[in-house]
Amino acid sequence: MFLKRIIAIVLVSAFMLIISAESKAVNTTIAPKQQSVTINSRQLNMTLDYVKSARISSLIVNGQKVISNDDGIFTSIKVGDNIYSSLHLKSSPVLVRGKNSIRVNGIKYGDANLTVSENWIFDTSGPSIKWTIERSLSNPVKADEVASPVFNFDNINTWEGAYQGYGGLAWFYLFNEKLCTYGVHSRSSSFWNSKTGNGLNITVAASGKQVAMKYTRTNDDKLAYTVSIGDNAFIPKSDTGTNRRRFIRGHTDVWSAQTLAAGKSTQTLTLSYFDFNERYGRGTLKGVDGSQVSAVLNTIARIGVIDSLHFGGNSWHTPYGPICLHEQYIAQLGLGINDPQYLKGYQSCLDFYRDHAIKPDGRVYPRWAYTNEDAMPGKFNKYGFYEAQWGILMDSNPDLVTNVAELYDMNGDLHWVKTHQLSCEKALDWILKRDSNNNGLVEMMTDNQSEKKSSDWIDIIWASYENAFVNAKLYRALVKWAAIEHQLGNTVKAKYYEDFAAKLKASFNKPVTEGGFWDEENKCYVHWRDKDGTIHGRNMVTPVNFMAIAYEICDNADRKKTILDAIEKQMEQEKLFFWPIAMTSYEKGEGNDWQWPFPNYENGDLFLSWGSIGVRAYASYDPALALKYVKNVLHQYSKDGLAFQRYGRLKQDGLGDDILSGNSLAIVGLYQAIYGINPMYNRLYLEPHLSPELYGTALNYNFRGQRVNILLDNNKYAISNKIFKIIAPYNFGFYTIKGQLFYFDRNSAKTSLQITSAQPLTIEIKNWDHHKIEFSAMTDKASAQPVSYVVRQLKPDTYYSVNMNGTAGKKIKSDKNGDILLSNESVSHSTTFTLER
């Protein structure tokens, strides 16, 4: 008996040791009612509970606990009033540990009508956590909601926002009441908090399946993030008959019910940490508040992206969710946002617009919305595009072309832009046919303001017949697209558009007494003329006059000075923080009656969407004035977040629930016109207009898959990547591919210097003109590796004296293309080359 007791004690002790060892091996803790396991990657830590439920009860991101509640993260399916979830299982699942993996088998929930069986596999072999969910349904089911899974973050303020895989933003600042819900079609979400610097990226891989996501502010002020996966595309539930609404209030059912097939499906979520400042940091911004610049471009600039195929200027938060295709700056926003995902997403969006927003005759629908309430009766298609109730808004045709052209400048994808060649030609040709009197100015659908119909973005001002606003936009589109036609080899079309643009420009600049738009009496370009010759909009309409200058229609220096000085003088008198849409009142009858007395709405209020052209108009004239209004906008952001449609002129207070991403455009103008950053199809072009307080600015910028550094100083500018650097005292273009560097002198679209080098190299341009070229090549270490230099765009078949470091040189003759090859030249710490005719 004694021996049996000894044996029993030994066996029990051995068993307890084994259990203890196994517990340590799988990092499992045992609680009286719950078992859990901790899963780690580099900066992520999660706790998985797996007794009578399967859920992640804790998620820590770089030391910050973002989920620590009873719901945590779980899967579920809602069928009618029934919710089946992994929080309530039929039995406890089984945990199995492998090398760098943890598997939970036998997760079963449901009822007599439906059994959901799941296995969860967590792979921690890399820097991220890969969570695979294997799901099997016992039978087909019409699911009102699918959560695969849902993440319940502790607070709506845990994250400031979540960037979508297509470049849009779920901005939680706008979730201003409980049960606000926003749904999108995306396969990735990057949550971020600029204050902590922490970021959490979640991507979904589900082969052959459709993926949607939604974000909800819960009744207890948590943030619920739901990933839904189905066999068919997720369609919004609201509104009946249109089914396009992505943002809803007071409830969470943003998606229509979807039938799920019986059988197995598999999906994988990859969770990874990112450093927000490292990924989105913009560098050292002198003279302005860099954190405010980042905040505006990271939030306001993106809110016009409603979904993966719907990019515009009005936010998803707006009650009827409109998109204006008659806005020429949607691609331009990407220059300031500077996120490759935005550019890629907008590329897909423009493909969608090409296929669904252009009528067979070439007319471009000007708007899209959640509903048809803003549409002319019967003037809409099944995709949601429509003619607006206010009139035939003609600027949608040139603006679509401008956005395609400017996106091409940013992505450099010639194959892609060629897929838009026929549609852009069709859009341009449709509007060019509207020049019935052959004076180069296209005509609107209305002849007279008395018809009380609009024709452009200023949609309740009755601009008619020959409209300077639309013709200025058309000029921009023609110039941009003609250059692309040359690249695509259609010189006939290119010449047609160039010739039309030249005629338009000439007529535009004529005095109103000779059929043009220049008002000598009021010293400004007018808004429009009626068919009977009467002139309207003589009140210094700022978008018209800024576009005339910014788009280089007006090349008369005296006129530019007159316009810009007059505007600034009145701005100082009224102490306005931003330019109003018109400096003085339209005449009674020129717009919708309720806009009087002046100022009111489009008759004199402040619309920030014209900030980029305003900044651009002033930047080359007086950079300090341009910067003044950039700073004013940043200051306003610090007070109210710019979360309005416009600002009243009298009180300068935010007005309108139609929040516009265009409120960021002055800051985009900072990047494009003041810093001078202009991505072009074949180079990164830099043309700064700096005031002294900006000297020393050092920017990070994404360009064609590279992170480049841009240094801006007093007549000394530089662009560099990890290998090459160019320094110049004036504007220039920069481009690199593996082992090669291309320098474009000033605004030339052709290469001026091409360098081939296997070692890091800095090139400093000292002088570059037709008579003398001087540049230095510098490296940290002297190397015997040869470097070749090809100097281009010289006078063909001409002798040049070439010397190095001031020594007596030799004469080299340029070839028939105007090239001189300097090859097999090794580089010391610094070598200066001089070429003289």
Side-chain angles (χ1 to χ4, degrees):
M1 185 68 179
F2 177 76
L3 181 59
K4 289 181 179 180
R5 291 180 62 187
I6 293 295
I7 293 171
I9 292 171
V10 170
L11 288 173
V12 169
S13 299
F15 179 73
M16 294 301 293
L17 286 171
I18 292 170
I19 292 296
S20 176
E22 286 183 351
S23 176
K24 292 177 181 178
V26 297
N27 198 14
T28 301
T29 59
I30 300 175
K33 296 183 179 180
Q34 185 71 46
Q35 282 186 308
S36 61
V37 62
T38 302
I39 304 168
N40 297 304
S41 71
R42 288 181 184 171
Q43 279 97 3
L44 299 180
N45 176 288
M46 60 171 60
T47 301
L48 170 66
D49 297 339
Y50 60 97
V51 169
K52 289 292 185 180
S53 71
R55 62 178 175 175
I56 295 168
S57 58
S58 172
L59 176 61
I60 299 171
V61 178
N62 195 37
Q64 177 191 357
K65 185 166 283 191
V66 298
I67 292 177
S68 58
N69 56 72
D70 291 339
D71 291 340
I73 308 170
F74 61 91
T75 58
S76 70
I77 293 179
K78 180 182 179 184
V79 181
D81 294 330
N82 298 316
I83 299 176
Y84 310 114
S85 81
S86 65
L87 294 177
H88 306 285
L89 302 182
K90 294 184 175 183
S91 59
S92 293
V94 177
L95 184 139
V96 179
R97 179 177 178 124
K99 184 178 181 181
N100 298 319
S101 71
I102 291 173
R103 183 181 183 100
V104 183
N105 293 330
I107 299 170
K108 292 187 178 184
Y109 53 91
D111 59 15
N113 298 314
L114 174 69
T115 297
V116 183
S117 300
E118 295 177 347
N119 299 318
W120 294 359
I121 304 100
F122 298 88
D123 181 349
T124 58
S125 58
S128 58
I129 296 175
K130 291 187 177 181
W131 175 12
T132 297
I133 300 173
E134 298 173 343
R135 170 179 280 176
S136 180
L137 301 181
S138 60
N139 49 273
V141 62
K142 186 175 182 180
D144 292 282
E145 182 174 296
V146 182
S148 304
V150 55
F151 292 70
N152 291 286
F153 294 106
D154 285 345
N155 192 279
I156 189 66
N157 297 317
T158 297
W159 306 109
E160 291 178 50
Y163 295 133
Q164 307 306 304
Y166 50 82
L169 168 68
W171 190 20
F172 305 131
Y173 173 79
L174 298 181
F175 286 50
N176 53 4
E177 59 186 69
K178 298 177 191 298
L179 300 185
C180 283
T181 301
Y182 176 41
V184 297
H185 296 87
S186 179
R187 289 177 179 260
S188 72
S189 189
S190 295
F191 297 89
W192 55 273
N193 188 312
S194 63
K195 298 177 182 63
T196 65
N198 289 329
L200 172 66
N201 179 255
I202 300 172
T203 61
V204 181
S207 179
K209 300 291 184 179
Q210 299 292 323
V211 179
M213 298 176 177
K214 72 172 183 177
Y215 306 84
T216 299
R217 179 173 182 167
T218 66
N219 270 320
D220 53 356
D221 290 325
K222 293 184 176 67
L223 169 64
Y225 160 61
T226 305
V227 177
S228 296
I229 296 174
D231 299 318
N232 303 301
F234 285 85
I235 298 171
K237 186 175 181 179
S238 301
D239 301 278
T240 302
T242 55
N243 301 98
R244 297 190 289 264
R245 187 176 298 276
R246 269 67 168 180
F247 182 73
I248 57 177
R249 296 177 182 273
H251 50 112
T252 66
D253 53 343
V254 69
W255 302 118
S256 297
Q258 177 157 152
T259 298
L260 304 178
K264 296 180 179 179
S265 63
T266 302
Q267 68 197 58
T268 299
L269 285 79
T270 301
L271 286 72
S272 57
Y273 168 81
F274 66 91
D275 183 308
F276 175 79
N277 295 315
E278 182 178 307
R279 180 178 292 185
Y280 296 102
R282 293 180 176 269
T284 302
L285 279 62
K286 300 289 187 179
V288 294
D289 188 320
S291 62
Q292 291 178 354
V293 170
S294 293
V296 171
L297 295 177
N298 287 337
T299 57
I300 292 292
R302 295 181 187 248
I303 60 172
V305 184
I306 291 178
D307 203 348
S308 60
L309 298 176
H310 296 85
F311 284 51
N314 301 68
S315 82
W316 42 262
H317 185 268
T318 305
Y320 71 102
I323 289 172
C324 293
L325 279 72
H326 56 118
E327 289 177 332
Q328 78 277 36
Y329 43 69
I330 307 305
Q332 185 187 23
L333 286 167
L335 184 151
I337 292 170
N338 194 223
D339 181 353
Q341 290 183 315
Y342 180 94
L343 301 185
K344 187 175 180 181
Y346 191 41
Q347 181 174 316
S348 296
C349 168
L350 287 173
D351 291 345
F352 183 75
Y353 290 177
R354 174 199 62 207
D355 298 339
H356 301 300
I358 304 177
K359 294 181 180 181
D361 65 354
R363 170 61 179 153
V364 178
Y365 280 111
R367 292 187 179 175
W368 177 96
Y370 291 154
T371 67
N372 297 330
E373 65 191 83
D374 182 47
M376 284 185 183
K379 300 293 184 179
F380 51 83
N381 68 15
K382 65 181 181 180
Y383 302 102
F385 297 102
Y386 65 91
E387 295 284 5
Q389 61 180 311
W390 309 110
I392 303 298
L393 309 179
M394 303 280 283
D395 40 353
S396 57
N397 275 60
D399 288 353
L400 179 68
V401 176
T402 295
N403 280 313
V404 171
E406 294 201 339
L407 183 61
Y408 168 58
D409 269 338
M410 281 181 264
N411 67 23
D413 189 339
L414 187 65
H415 173 76
W416 171 77
V417 83
K418 185 171 178 58
T419 68
H420 286 260
Q421 185 176 15
L422 293 179
S423 57
C424 285
E425 289 174 353
K426 192 160 70 169
L428 286 175
D429 293 349
W430 181 89
I431 194 170
L432 295 183
K433 291 175 184 176
R434 297 290 307 168
D435 180 20
S436 64
N437 57 11
N438 199 33
N439 69 347
L441 300 174
V442 298
E443 299 132 11
M444 308 300 103
M445 291 298 190
T446 51
D447 293 338
N448 191 286
Q449 69 167 39
S450 63
E451 297 178 53
K452 295 187 176 182
K453 291 293 182 182
S454 179
S455 57
D456 63 41
W457 190 91
I458 310 176
D459 59 4
I460 55 172
I461 295 295
W462 312 137
S464 306
Y465 198 59
E466 290 177 342
N467 179 341
F469 187 103
V470 172
N471 276 279
K473 286 181 161 189
L474 176 59
Y475 178 81
R476 173 71 168 172
L478 288 169
V479 170
K480 297 292 291 185
W481 193 257
I484 292 172
E485 290 284 1
H486 277 297
Q487 294 176 49
L488 295 174
N490 194 339
T491 56
V492 174
K493 274 290 189 183
K495 187 176 187 306
Y496 171 54
Y497 296 141
E498 288 168 343
D499 290 348
F500 201 107
K503 183 186 286 189
L504 188 162
K505 179 177 180 176
S507 292
F508 194 106
N509 282 303
K510 289 179 180 178
V512 292
T513 55
E514 298 176 21
F517 293 128
W518 177 250
D519 184 343
E520 185 62 35
E521 180 182 350
N522 291 293
K523 304 296 183 185
C524 67
Y525 291 98
V526 300
H527 193 164
W528 79 92
R529 69 158 23 82
D530 282 347
K531 191 172 185 178
D532 63 9
T534 54
I535 305 302
H536 300 279
R538 305 179 67 187
N539 50 326
M540 187 70 84
V541 180
T542 52
V544 169
N545 286 272
F546 284 157
M547 283 193 287
I549 295 171
Y551 295 163
E552 300 179 350
I553 301 170
C554 175
D555 46 20
N556 182 312
D558 291 336
R559 281 188 186 178
K560 291 180 185 178
K561 184 178 188 314
T562 297
I563 292 167
L564 297 175
D565 285 352
I567 291 173
E568 179 57 19
K569 181 179 179 181
Q570 189 170 342
M571 294 293 290
E572 281 293 309
Q573 290 172 349
E574 295 190 49
K575 303 299 180 186
L576 299 177
F577 86 91
F578 192 80
W579 303 292
I581 201 164
M583 298 308 295
T584 58
S585 180
Y586 282 96
E587 295 292 330
K588 277 286 189 73
E590 290 183 340
N592 203 315
D593 291 342
W594 63 261
Q595 296 175 106
W596 282 265
F598 172 86
N600 190 9
Y601 197 56
E602 292 174 353
N603 187 26
D605 275 351
L606 284 56
F607 285 82
L608 275 60
S609 291
W610 298 100
S612 63
I613 60 163
V615 169
R616 183 171 175 178
Y618 275 102
S620 58
Y621 175 69
D622 187 341
L625 276 179
L627 184 62
K628 168 185 171 180
Y629 291 98
V630 169
K631 286 184 170 183
N632 286 352
V633 171
L634 291 174
H635 178 67
Q636 193 66 35
Y637 173 82
S638 72
K639 295 196 297 184
D640 63 19
L642 303 179
F644 300 97
Q645 180 202 46
R646 68 192 191 281
Y647 287 82
R649 186 162 180 166
L650 298 179
K651 298 180 180 179
Q652 300 192 63
D653 52 336
L655 300 172
D657 57 6
D658 193 1
I659 302 170
L660 304 182
S661 62
N663 291 346
S664 69
L665 279 164
I667 316 306
V668 175
L670 168 68
Y671 265 70
Q672 186 173 36
I674 297 177
Y675 294 154
I677 299 172
N678 286 272
M680 304 297 287
Y681 70 96
N682 65 344
R683 66 201 185 279
L684 180 58
Y685 176 57
L686 188 64
E687 185 183 354
H689 298 96
L690 305 178
S691 54
E693 61 194 299
L694 300 180
Y695 296 164
T697 292
L699 302 169
N700 303 320
Y701 199 79
N702 296 311
F703 180 70
R704 307 282 164 77
Q706 299 185 67
R707 186 81 155 168
V708 301
N709 302 112
I710 299 172
L711 302 178
L712 305 173
D713 217 324
N714 185 16
N715 295 321
K716 187 175 184 180
Y717 317 122
I719 304 178
S720 62
N721 63 6
K722 294 179 180 180
I723 305 297
F724 296 120
K725 182 176 185 177
I726 292 178
I727 305 169
Y730 39 67
N731 53 312
F732 70 94
F734 170 99
Y735 188 72
T736 66
I737 55 177
K738 186 176 182 180
Q740 290 190 305
L741 171 66
F742 303 84
Y743 165 74
F744 299 78
D745 187 54
R746 295 178 172 86
N747 65 350
S748 174
K750 296 181 179 180
T751 304
S752 303
L753 175 64
Q754 179 178 339
I755 298 171
T756 302
S757 174
Q759 60 183 312
L761 205 60
T762 295
I763 302 298
E764 183 169 6
I765 306 299
K766 305 292 184 64
N767 189 78
W768 205 284
D769 58 36
H770 294 301
H771 302 287
K772 181 181 178 180
I773 291 172
E774 183 177 359
F775 65 93
S776 295
M778 296 163 281
T779 184
D780 291 337
K781 293 181 179 180
S783 172
Q785 290 183 314
V787 178
S788 73
Y789 307 84
V790 180
V791 182
R792 301 191 183 278
Q793 296 193 70
L794 302 171
K795 186 175 181 180
D797 299 316
T798 302
Y799 281 100
Y800 285 79
S801 174
V802 181
N803 65 63
M804 295 170 55
N805 291 332
T807 59
K810 54 186 178 180
K811 291 188 178 296
I812 301 178
K813 187 179 181 181
S814 62
D815 64 19
K816 64 180 181 179
N817 297 315
D819 296 345
I820 286 180
L821 172 63
L822 307 175
S823 61
N824 299 318
E825 302 289 352
S826 60
V827 178
S828 60
H829 289 293
S830 179
T831 304
T832 299
F833 298 87
T834 306
L835 288 79
E836 293 183 278
R837 285 176 60 180

